[in-house]
Amino acid sequence: MAGTARHDREMAIQSKKKLTTATDPIERLRLQCLARGSAGIKGLGRVFRIMDDNNNRTLDFKEFVKGLNDYAVVMEKEEAEELFRRFDKDGNGTIDFNEFLLTLRVTPEEFMNYYAGVSASIDTDVYFIVMMRTAWKL
Ligand SMILES: [Ca+2]
Ligand SMILES: [Ca+2]
């Protein structure tokens, strides 16, 4: 596990560097997540859950904007709306976990690696597993 921790730390340092130049809001959000040391899908899953205030496994616009503010991705309302549309791929007015992962470019490999780790641990996070299974149709 030491190797993984080092990898996470390096990723965090690199992400912080990139954050100083990144302008695309989606890239900034991705980097913010990485910079907090939760690399990849696990961190994003946590971000999604934190944003999902009413626990219905989708993000509406209000939750989305509040979540962005929490992650220090500050933007104008128009910009946030534009960003929301980029996440909401099917245009139904909410962002589900699948859309969230796709937009932030989590690869199926990242997911499978993480999922294998989760399945092996006792500390199973039901909310997260359900979301991931649905997202990747497992
Ligand atoms: Ca919600
Ligand atoms: Ca949607």
Side-chain angles (χ1 to χ4, degrees), residues 78-90:
E78 295 77 45
E79 216 183 344
E81 279 168 357
E82 155 81 30
L83 186 62
F84 189 84
R85 278 195 292 273
R86 280 168 72 185
F87 272 94
D88 183 17
K89 305 236 183 265
D90 65 3

Side-chain angles (χ1 to χ4, degrees), residues 14-32 72-74 79 105:
Q14 277 182 14
S15 301
K16 273 180 199 144
K17 261 188 220 155
K18 283 189 201 151
L19 258 175
T20 58
T21 53
T23 51
D24 181 69
I26 288 180
E27 189 61 21
R28 289 186 64 81
L29 179 59
R30 184 179 160 82
L31 290 171
Q32 284 285 2
V73 183
V74 179
E79 216 183 344
R105 304 192 310 269

Side-chain angles (χ1 to χ4, degrees), residues 51-60 63:
M51 287 185 179
D52 181 17
D53 284 333
N54 66 356
N55 260 341
N56 70 344
R57 292 180 185 143
T58 58
L59 304 180
D60 58 31
E63 289 172 333

Side-chain angles (χ1 to χ4, degrees), residues 12 15-16 31-39 46-47 70-72:
S15 301
K16 273 180 199 144
L31 290 171
Q32 284 285 2
C33 297
L34 295 178
R36 292 184 176 211
S38 309
R46 200 182 306 139
V47 171
D70 288 348
Y71 277 79

Side-chain angles (χ1 to χ4, degrees), residues 13-135:
I13 292 164
Q14 277 182 14
S15 301
K16 273 180 199 144
K17 261 188 220 155
K18 283 189 201 151
L19 258 175
T20 58
T21 53
T23 51
D24 181 69
I26 288 180
E27 189 61 21
R28 289 186 64 81
L29 179 59
R30 184 179 160 82
L31 290 171
Q32 284 285 2
C33 297
L34 295 178
R36 292 184 176 211
S38 309
I41 190 165
K42 192 179 174 188
L44 296 178
R46 200 182 306 139
V47 171
F48 187 90
R49 182 168 49 183
I50 291 168
M51 287 185 179
D52 181 17
D53 284 333
N54 66 356
N55 260 341
N56 70 344
R57 292 180 185 143
T58 58
L59 304 180
D60 58 31
F61 185 64
K62 239 171 84 184
E63 289 172 333
F64 182 69
V65 171
K66 188 171 163 287
L68 289 179
N69 287 333
D70 288 348
Y71 277 79
V73 183
V74 179
M75 60 186 71
E76 301 292 317
K77 185 158 181 284
E78 295 77 45
E79 216 183 344
E81 279 168 357
E82 155 81 30
L83 186 62
F84 189 84
R85 278 195 292 273
R86 280 168 72 185
F87 272 94
D88 183 17
K89 305 236 183 265
D90 65 3
N92 70 345
T94 56
I95 299 168
D96 60 35
F97 192 52
N98 190 21
E99 291 169 332
F100 189 75
L101 291 180
L102 282 176
T103 309
L104 290 168
R105 304 192 310 269
V106 172
T107 64
E109 287 73 31
E110 272 183 89
F111 170 68
M112 289 315 293
N113 285 340
Y114 177 68
Y115 187 68
V118 168
S119 306
S121 84
I122 303 161
D123 181 23
T124 310
D125 183 336
V126 174
Y127 176 105
F128 192 35
I129 299 292
V130 168
M131 282 199 306
M132 294 205 296
R133 278 200 175 132
T134 310

